[in-house]
Amino acid sequence: MHLAYPAVLAALLFCTGLYGVLARRNAILVLMSVELMLNAVNLNLVAFDVWLRDTLHAGQALTLFVIAIAAAEIGIGLAIVLMVYRNRGTSDIDRLRDTAEGADTPGGAGPEATAAAPAQKAEATA
C-alpha cells in the first residue's frame, strides 16, 4: 500500500476541518470541524501503522483511544452548546464572546460595574 494516498486524504481532511474551525461562527459546526480533524489524525495513525507493519499495532490502539476521547468531547461539548443555546438563545460564537465580555457597556464592564459607578462618583465628590 502506498502511504501517499491516505496521507494526502488525511491532509485534505485536516485542512478542511481547520478551515471549519477558523471560519465558522456556529458552535455546532465548530465541533463537527474538530471531529473532522480528529478523524484525519486517526486515518494517519492507521495508515502509518499498516505502512510500518507494527506487530503491536500501536497506531490502531492509539486510534481507539482517540475515538473514545472524541466521543467524550462531542458529548460534553454538545451538552454545553445546548445549555448555552437555552440560556442565550444563540449558538453564534461571536455573540457569545461579546456577552461574556460585557459588550453592553463601552468599557467592557458588566452591569454590576455600571450600577456601582454613580455611587463611586458621589463618594469622590463628597
Side-chain angles (χ1 to χ4, degrees):
M1 177 177 98
H2 294 286
L3 184 61
Y5 299 130
V8 168
L9 179 62
L12 288 175
L13 283 174
F14 192 85
C15 289
T16 304
L18 186 64
Y19 172 75
V21 167
L22 295 176
R24 300 291 179 192
R25 295 296 133 217
N26 190 346
I28 300 292
L29 293 177
V30 170
L31 285 174
M32 288 174 60
S33 298
V34 169
E35 290 295 320
L36 194 62
M37 292 167 62
L38 288 173
N39 284 332
V41 170
N42 286 341
L43 181 61
N44 265 337
L45 285 171
V46 171
F48 276 98
D49 183 53
V50 169
W51 184 65
L52 293 173
R53 293 184 176 86
D54 187 16
T55 56
L56 295 176
H57 299 292
Q60 293 179 19
L62 189 57
T63 298
L64 290 175
F65 285 112
V66 171
I67 290 172
I69 296 295
E73 174 257 335
I74 198 67
I76 292 172
L78 189 59
I80 291 171
V81 168
L82 285 175
M83 289 304 297
V84 167
Y85 182 77
R86 284 183 185 170
N87 290 336
R88 306 274 172 97
T90 185
S91 63
D92 187 17
I93 294 175
D94 288 335
R95 285 188 182 174
L96 295 177
R97 184 176 46 225
D98 290 343
T99 57
E101 293 171 355
D104 53 345
T105 59
E112 298 83 14
T114 57
Q120 290 174 352
K121 287 181 185 176
E123 290 175 3
T125 58

